[in-house]
Amino acid sequence: MSGIPPKSVGLGGDGDEICAIESVERAFGVKLDKADASKWHTAGDVFASLRQALPNEVRDHDLWPRFTEVLTEQTGVAPEAIEMASPLLSQSRLWVHVTNASAAAWISAAMVVLGLLGWALL
């Protein structure tokens, strides 16, 4: 073991994880048990739920490569870099700051437009 943490799946926790799970369900023709969702922290956690949802005769097939390919469609992370212990959510929280800054900019712009519109109507 190298001591280097596994590469993250790269999901942002901003709804893209829902799309990724739905993609897995579509690709494998199953519905995952959403009661397990609070326990899904790694790719391996979701993979275990997928295996549970599959018929017995399919569970032992080499599903991992296809699973990681579908799971990373949203993120652009190389599927071969994903391990069972790979966290679902991105290790970098930079996206949170980008999202917050973007929201603040749009709110500010809307306030300016509404202010100008109100001023023009007076």
Side-chain angles (χ1 to χ4, degrees), residues 6-112:
K7 182 157 184 71
S8 166
V9 174
L11 298 170
D14 58 350
D16 60 348
E17 69 281 2
I18 294 169
C19 293
I21 296 301
E22 289 173 349
S23 294
V24 168
E25 290 176 329
R26 271 192 309 280
F28 289 92
V30 298
K31 285 290 181 193
L32 299 182
D33 186 356
K34 302 302 190 294
D36 293 339
S38 65
K39 301 173 192 160
W40 294 340
H41 302 288
T42 67
D45 296 335
V46 178
F47 187 67
S49 288
L50 170 63
R51 290 193 69 232
Q52 283 296 112
L54 290 169
N56 287 336
E57 62 273 9
V58 180
R59 286 183 190 170
D60 293 328
H61 290 145
D62 188 21
L63 303 171
W64 183 254
R66 183 171 171 218
F67 168 75
T68 57
E69 185 175 318
V70 172
L71 189 63
T72 59
E73 283 175 349
Q74 300 282 325
T75 64
V77 172
E80 58 275 3
I82 301 302
E83 303 172 16
M84 288 278 195
S86 292
L88 293 174
L89 298 180
S90 175
Q91 301 298 342
S92 167
R93 304 305 277 178
L94 176 62
W95 63 269
V96 172
H97 301 296
V98 170
T99 302
N100 290 342
S102 176
W106 281 108
I107 290 169
S108 298
M111 289 173 54
V112 167

